Amino acid sequence: MKLIKKLAVVVSSVLTLGVVGANADLLDKILEKGKVKCGVVLDFPPMGYRDAKNKPAGFDVEYCKDLAKALDVELELKSMTFAQRIPALNSGKVDVVIGSTSDTLERAKSAGFTMPYFVFKLQAMFKKGSNIKTFEDLKGKKVTAALSTTPETEFLKNAKKLGWDTSDYFSSKSENDTHLALLQGKADAIITTDTTISELLKLDKFKDYVAGPYVPNYDDFVSIITKRDEYGFINYLNLFVHQQVRSGRYAEVYKKIYGDAPIRDLTVHGIYY
């Protein structure tokens, strides 16, 4: 009889652990395993890139490090292209992506978004002497942007609105491929973020290029993403973003990456902390 009672206790304990395990959300699992797998895009300077020692660096990389520190777990960085961000999440290759992901309603059908942690302007870049002064001057030009990005969708949306023939437009597989297409003359102009263009123009190989007009009427808010149904982790990530600003860490990382450039005050864009 005593043996039966002991077995009953053991079985009950195992079943209880099984229920807890089944109900554990991603936040619990990360804390339990002591590691967070954070996806970043490393061909998108200065948000993500490789430094002179080939080590991951940039604003998004700093935020991945800060998240791991806040969770008190080990960080595993996973490099990916823009197009790989949501598939990597949903396949379980990463737990979270801090990869300058624009907060579109379409993407929110496939991933869970936090409150925005950064904001960009979308801008054109082309060779000097291209005689492009306004967005409308891009009509008929060979333009490219990285596949599955907001620069691509917003350019095409505006082109359609203006009634342009976009047969000369083409998608590039990655952000690096857009830069290469411009340098090789395969594209007359690229569309990317203003911050990326500022960084590219510091490089000697882009000395003959200039920043051009902005994509009209668009502020590109970007968020941290995780699986759509991980509500507990999304809540945690929202508080993480909130506290990065409140603690002054957002301003600290901004200064580290962007130097003395005027800080992008998220509060003036309607995000209240």
Side-chain angles (χ1 to χ4, degrees), residues 8-254:
V9 171
V10 171
V11 170
S12 176
S13 298
V14 170
L15 289 174
T16 300
L17 288 172
V19 170
V20 171
N23 292 332
D25 67 5
L26 182 55
L27 177 57
D28 293 321
K29 293 173 183 176
I30 290 169
L31 295 174
E32 183 179 352
K33 69 185 179 183
K35 179 190 290 186
V36 61
K37 293 181 290 185
C38 189
V40 288
V41 178
L42 295 179
D43 64 351
F44 188 54
M47 299 300 281
Y49 62 96
R50 291 190 180 275
D51 63 18
K53 296 182 179 179
N54 203 37
K55 292 184 178 180
F59 193 99
D60 288 343
V61 173
E62 289 294 317
Y63 260 44
C64 280
K65 292 177 181 178
D66 286 351
L67 177 60
K69 183 177 179 181
L71 290 164
D72 194 23
V73 298
E74 178 187 346
L75 171 64
E76 183 178 346
L77 281 175
K78 296 280 191 178
S79 175
M80 59 191 58
T81 65
F82 283 123
Q84 292 170 333
R85 290 171 297 183
I86 292 177
L89 270 179
N90 291 329
S91 67
K93 290 182 179 178
V94 294
D95 302 314
V96 60
V97 174
I98 306 182
S100 300
T101 308
S102 303
D103 60 351
T104 69
L105 291 175
E106 185 61 31
R107 285 178 178 161
K109 296 175 183 177
S110 304
F113 282 72
T114 66
M115 62 199 304
Y117 72 94
F118 206 84
V119 60
F120 302 102
K121 289 287 188 181
L122 305 181
Q123 193 173 22
M125 179 179 173
F126 40 78
K127 205 163 191 176
K128 294 176 181 177
S130 296
N131 200 31
I132 299 172
K133 297 180 180 178
T134 67
F135 182 82
E136 287 73 14
D137 291 333
L138 293 170
K139 180 181 180 181
K141 299 288 193 293
K142 290 182 292 183
V143 177
T144 187
L147 178 68
S148 300
T149 62
T150 301
E152 176 175 74
T153 56
E154 286 301 313
F155 172 78
L156 291 174
K157 183 188 297 184
N158 277 273
K160 182 179 180 181
K161 184 178 179 181
L162 292 167
W164 295 356
D165 174 7
T166 56
S167 57
D168 285 331
Y169 175 84
F170 63 96
S171 301
S172 293
K173 291 183 179 180
S174 69
E175 185 71 18
N176 270 342
D177 286 337
T178 68
H179 310 162
L180 188 61
L182 187 61
L183 286 170
Q184 293 178 340
K186 294 178 181 178
D188 299 319
I190 64 172
I191 305 294
T192 185
T193 63
D194 55 338
T195 53
T196 295
I197 290 174
S198 293
E199 292 301 303
L200 293 178
L201 292 177
K202 295 176 183 177
L203 303 176
D204 187 63
K205 61 183 176 181
F206 286 106
K207 67 180 185 301
D208 295 326
Y209 295 81
V210 293
Y214 294 105
V215 174
N217 306 314
Y218 193 81
D219 288 323
D220 186 16
F221 293 98
V222 297
S223 298
I224 298 173
I225 58 173
T226 189
K227 283 188 176 180
R228 190 183 64 180
D229 59 352
E230 292 293 346
Y231 307 114
F233 194 32
I234 292 170
N235 286 339
Y236 184 90
L237 292 170
N238 272 325
L239 185 58
F240 168 74
V241 173
H242 200 287
Q243 294 212 8
Q244 288 288 92
V245 175
R246 283 165 48 194
S247 68
R249 178 60 177 160
Y250 167 73
E252 183 181 342
V253 176
Y254 192 99

